[in-house]
């Protein structure tokens, strides 16, 4: 299982989960539940997710550290400002919001089954390995940050 750690870029995982959500909605169209505003709310949640992703990337650029999720060893500093005061992973949370908004747009209850799979995959194969590397690299400073700020929300 360790071979999967830090191998698939999170945006690719997001696209795969989105494709699975779409496939589920197409295989069981009778389960679709249309309700007023689902498209608008879905689009709004997607936009919030994109903004959160953008702010995370911007914070990394300002700190002059890598945004490459497959090479956390290249990190030059612990980013703690902006959204990183509230979540250690605002970019991954943003991707989760994009998928959540997409599920609302699809208006299919079974599409939401994919969301915990996304969270579990990213946590196990992306976040935990990143945290291990950051603890090794930054020691107590990262441990202190991780004790103050939640992993997701």
């Amino acid at each position: 299982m360790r071979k999967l750690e830090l191998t698939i870029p999170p945006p690719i995982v997001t696209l795969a989960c989105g494709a699975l959500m779409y496939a589920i909605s197409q295989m069981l169209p009778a389960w679709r539940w249309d309700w007023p505003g689902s498209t608008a709310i879905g689009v709004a949640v997607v936009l919030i997710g994109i903004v959160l992703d953008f702010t995370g990337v911007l914070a990394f650029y300002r700190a002059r550290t890598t945004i490459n999720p497959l090479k956390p060893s290249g990190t030059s500093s612990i980013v703690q400002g902006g959204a990183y005061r509230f979540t250690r992973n605002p970019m991954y949370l943003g991707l989760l919001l994009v998928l959540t908004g997409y599920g609302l747009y699809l208006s299919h209850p079974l599409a939401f089954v994919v969301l915990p799979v996304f969270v579990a995959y990213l946590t196990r194969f992306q976040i935990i390995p990143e945290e291990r590397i950051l603890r090794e690299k930054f020691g107590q400073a990262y441990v202190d940050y991780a004790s103050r700020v939640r992993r997701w929300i």
Side-chain angles (χ1 to χ4, degrees), residues 32-52:
R32 183 179 166 94
W33 41 267
D34 286 315
W35 49 278
S38 64
T39 298
I41 293 170
V43 169
V45 172
V46 166
L47 291 174
I48 291 168
I50 290 169
V51 167
L52 189 55

Side-chain angles (χ1 to χ4, degrees), residues 53-65 67 79-84:
D53 280 339
F54 178 75
T55 62
V57 170
L58 186 62
F60 271 41
Y61 276 121
R62 284 184 177 150
R64 299 182 207 282
T65 191
I67 63 165
V79 178
Q80 299 181 50
Y84 289 91

Side-chain angles (χ1 to χ4, degrees), residues 8-9 13 26 31 35 38 42-43 61 68 72 74 94 104 114 134:
I8 303 173
V13 175
Q26 294 303 300
W31 285 48
W35 49 278
S38 64
V43 169
Y61 276 121
N68 184 348
L104 291 167
V114 176
L134 294 174

Side-chain angles (χ1 to χ4, degrees), residues 12 18 20 25 28-29 37 39 55 65 67 76 86 90 93 103 106 116 120 128 136:
I12 300 299
L20 182 57
S25 73
L28 297 165
T39 298
T55 62
T65 191
I67 63 165
S76 61
F86 309 106
L93 180 58
L106 291 172
I128 289 174
E136 290 169 4

Side-chain angles (χ1 to χ4, degrees), residues 10-135:
I12 300 299
V13 175
T14 306
L15 288 172
C17 288
L20 182 57
M21 292 169 76
Y22 178 78
I24 290 169
S25 73
Q26 294 303 300
M27 287 189 294
L28 297 165
W31 285 48
R32 183 179 166 94
W33 41 267
D34 286 315
W35 49 278
S38 64
T39 298
I41 293 170
V43 169
V45 172
V46 166
L47 291 174
I48 291 168
I50 290 169
V51 167
L52 189 55
D53 280 339
F54 178 75
T55 62
V57 170
L58 186 62
F60 271 41
Y61 276 121
R62 284 184 177 150
R64 299 182 207 282
T65 191
T66 183
I67 63 165
N68 184 348
L70 304 184
K71 304 276 187 216
S73 58
T75 302
S76 61
S77 64
I78 302 169
V79 178
Q80 299 181 50
Y84 289 91
R85 292 176 295 158
F86 309 106
T87 173
R88 294 194 311 261
N89 298 289
M91 289 185 262
Y92 302 151
L93 180 58
L95 295 176
L96 177 61
L97 287 173
V98 167
L99 287 174
T100 302
Y102 186 53
L104 291 167
Y105 172 80
L106 291 172
S107 297
H108 201 286
L110 291 181
F112 292 97
V113 171
V114 176
L115 299 180
V117 173
F118 174 80
V119 169
Y121 181 90
L122 272 191
T123 299
R124 169 59 185 89
F125 297 109
Q126 188 66 41
I127 296 171
I128 289 174
E130 282 179 0
E131 290 177 343
R132 183 175 57 242
I133 291 166
L134 294 174
R135 269 193 316 277

